[in-house]
Amino acid sequence: MNTSMKNKVENVLEKKYQKGSNTFGSYLRGFKRIHLLMGNGDSFEPYKDFNKVKKVIENMKITKKGGEEKPVSKETKKNTYLSLGMILSLVDGYEEVSKKYREMNMEYIKNINEGLKDNEKSEKQKEKLVDYKVLIDKVKELKKKKKDKYDTYMLCFMYVVPIFTPRNEYRQMKVYYDNNVDDTKNYLLVSKDSIKVVLNEYKTKKKFGKIEYTYDKRVQNEIRKYLEYKKNPSVIFDFSSQNLSTKLTNNLGVSVQFIRTIKNDWYVKQPKFTRMSMKKQTEKMNQLFQHGLFQSLTSYKKKNLN
């Protein structure tokens, strides 16, 4: 996307969202995706023609390795409509057309959820989903080499071993060793007796609010060793979002999105989870994966939900 248009979009987003936040970045990437296909001009004007834009989105393709072109996923189309709808809702004169884009986003959510009811998985998911144990084994292999790649090992450990699994919130996450914390940010709070993670900035914050999770003793011990090795750093992983994702994909073979899906699918089948009340199941999904119970039931359906 050209610099002039990027600046315009960022200025619009800053009316409502904090620059650098996950939501800000997500909407900007979604707009860039469609704007390049719409001619990469310097104006929002082309987006008044909803039918033309819709045709472009519905025919979007991605080029695979080897040059093969494939249609983008329903998820990508959904997110593109959402990005347009939310950005244009903040541009004077575009409020009405923005509703059409948001309505298309809702249509895709409905379509995707209908698929989840039938336990459908996308082709991409079928290609990438592996058994949770495979991820555990990969982390064990990385541990053998941790002297050379301690940061990489610890990043993979944090995303695989604790059942708590954020999106990319571990990047640049602050570490505090006393209660003098910035409680508007994401952070780890390390005390003599426990280590907990606190999320204040994440994709679904408006729905679920502040989230706290205390790691079990095994995970705490591994974190303490790492922090001691790093000489009590103020940030646990000094990675950009892109580098964090690349390290996980290169070492585990899957992205954050698929790590979350794999662990989610494993967790909802565990007896400890299935014995919980629906209220407790919902609370656990909110805390551990920062999404709702229904979204978690991609490969498992509790009988009383049928």
Side-chain angles (χ1 to χ4, degrees):
M1 181 162 57
N2 69 72
T3 303
S4 173
M5 195 61 193
K6 181 183 177 185
N7 290 338
K8 287 180 181 179
V9 176
E10 288 183 343
N11 289 337
V12 167
L13 283 169
E14 284 180 336
K15 294 178 182 179
K16 187 172 182 179
Y17 307 102
Q18 182 179 351
K19 190 170 184 178
S21 68
N22 292 335
T23 302
F24 186 100
S26 177
Y27 291 161
L28 183 62
R29 287 191 298 273
F31 187 88
K32 178 181 178 181
R33 184 187 301 123
I34 182 62
H35 195 64
L36 293 173
L37 296 174
M38 291 295 295
N40 199 21
D42 293 329
S43 168
F44 290 107
E45 188 70 25
Y47 300 100
K48 287 184 177 179
D49 190 342
F50 171 77
N51 290 329
K52 182 178 179 180
V53 178
K54 179 183 176 183
K55 185 176 180 179
V56 173
I57 294 174
E58 294 304 316
N59 288 285
M60 284 195 303
K61 289 183 171 56
I62 185 170
T63 303
K64 297 284 199 176
K65 289 181 180 178
E68 179 191 3
E69 281 194 342
K70 295 182 69 174
V72 299
S73 67
K74 292 178 182 179
E75 193 74 24
T76 297
K77 293 177 183 178
K78 172 183 76 69
N79 292 339
T80 303
Y81 282 119
L82 178 62
S83 296
L84 282 175
M86 299 309 292
I87 289 170
L88 295 176
S89 70
L90 301 171
V91 180
D92 291 340
Y94 288 78
E95 293 87 353
E96 287 304 313
V97 74
S98 75
K99 292 178 183 177
K100 295 182 179 181
Y101 292 111
R102 282 178 284 161
E103 286 169 1
M104 283 303 300
N105 170 65
M106 293 306 298
E107 283 296 315
Y108 268 94
I109 290 175
K110 181 180 177 182
N111 186 280
I112 290 169
N113 284 346
E114 286 299 320
L116 293 181
K117 286 181 182 178
D118 297 327
N119 295 332
E120 292 177 1
K121 286 186 172 62
S122 67
E123 289 183 18
K124 190 174 181 182
Q125 285 177 316
K126 290 173 183 175
E127 290 174 4
K128 291 286 188 178
L129 289 183
V130 296
D131 190 85
Y132 182 36
K133 186 178 181 300
V134 173
L135 295 184
I136 295 289
D137 289 342
K138 287 186 177 184
V139 170
K140 288 179 180 178
E141 286 300 311
L142 286 170
K143 187 173 185 178
K144 297 175 184 177
K145 307 170 187 175
K146 76 175 185 180
K147 286 186 178 180
D148 300 319
K149 295 183 176 181
Y150 206 161
D151 290 337
T152 299
Y153 157 69
M154 198 60 196
L155 177 67
C156 293
F157 175 90
M158 291 295 283
Y159 269 99
V160 171
V161 177
I163 196 61
F164 172 84
T165 317
R167 294 173 179 87
N168 64 354
E169 282 78 21
Y170 278 132
R171 67 179 177 88
Q172 303 292 330
M173 180 178 279
K174 295 284 187 181
V175 183
Y176 293 104
Y177 303 90
D178 56 43
N179 289 321
N180 186 23
V181 304
D182 180 352
D183 214 14
T184 66
K185 304 293 184 181
N186 301 326
Y187 60 88
L188 290 182
L189 181 58
V190 181
S191 68
K192 181 180 178 181
D193 300 320
S194 67
I195 299 178
K196 72 176 179 180
V197 59
V198 179
L199 296 187
N200 285 298
E201 292 182 318
Y202 62 99
K203 184 177 180 180
T204 48
K205 165 68 184 292
K206 285 188 176 180
K207 188 169 185 178
F208 302 122
K210 177 180 177 180
I211 287 179
E212 299 184 23
Y213 177 79
T214 301
Y215 299 104
D216 65 32
K217 291 299 181 183
R218 176 193 172 191
V219 174
Q220 289 183 38
N221 290 339
E222 205 70 12
I223 295 174
R224 291 184 194 281
K225 291 176 187 176
Y226 177 69
L227 295 177
E228 183 178 354
Y229 169 81
K230 299 289 285 187
K231 299 181 180 179
N232 294 336
S234 60
V235 174
I236 187 166
F237 298 120
D238 193 15
F239 302 141
S240 67
S241 179
Q242 183 176 358
N243 287 341
L244 180 149
S245 181
T246 299
K247 283 180 179 292
L248 290 173
T249 303
N250 288 349
N251 289 278
L252 297 175
V254 288
S255 65
V256 174
Q257 174 191 348
F258 286 107
I259 293 171
R260 285 166 55 82
T261 301
I262 290 163
K263 291 173 70 175
N264 181 113
D265 283 5
W266 174 84
Y267 184 69
V268 297
K269 296 173 186 173
Q270 302 309 301
K272 181 179 179 180
F273 179 83
T274 61
R275 288 195 294 265
M276 294 178 189
S277 67
M278 189 185 299
K279 180 181 178 181
K280 188 66 175 176
Q281 287 179 341
T282 301
E283 291 171 353
K284 276 295 178 186
M285 288 300 105
N286 297 169
Q287 180 192 45
L288 299 175
F289 297 98
Q290 306 88 57
H291 62 215
L293 176 61
F294 181 79
Q295 189 175 346
S296 296
L297 304 178
T298 56
S299 64
Y300 163 82
K301 289 190 287 185
K302 196 173 179 184
K303 287 182 180 179
N304 63 2
L305 290 179
N306 292 338

